[in-house]
Amino acid sequence: MAKTNPEATLVFSGPLPWTASAACQGQTSLFFPPAGERPETRARRESKARELCAACPVLAPCRTWARDNRVFGYWAG
């Protein structure tokens, strides 16, 4: 039986209200790296993600949620 890390468990009861206004909707591949991603490719992907986040109207709640939940991937600039 695999052990789970309770700190890595995301806790929410449904869609987060602020996500409906997020600029990143539908762009999952920009924020979560594929396996074996090269450093140069990662730098380009994260630069694009950073630009999108900088102009996002829900940057603050996204950043707070990501920090509170210790999420994987690139979140909130």
Side-chain angles (χ1 to χ4, degrees):
M1 176 189 254
K3 292 183 180 181
T4 59
N5 179 355
E7 292 182 8
T9 303
L10 302 179
V11 179
F12 58 95
S13 60
L16 302 166
W18 52 265
T19 60
S21 300
C24 63
Q25 287 185 13
Q27 299 188 52
T28 305
S29 64
L30 193 57
F31 295 89
F32 298 94
E37 182 178 48
R38 298 180 138 213
E40 306 83 24
T41 305
R42 178 181 183 166
R44 284 191 301 272
R45 180 183 54 76
E46 288 186 350
S47 177
K48 291 176 186 175
R50 206 173 359 267
E51 288 177 20
L52 190 60
C53 286
C56 185
V58 295
L59 176 65
C62 178
R63 181 174 286 156
T64 299
W65 190 85
R67 286 178 178 160
D68 289 349
N69 290 281
R70 300 179 182 172
V71 297
F72 169 78
Y74 190 95
W75 284 70

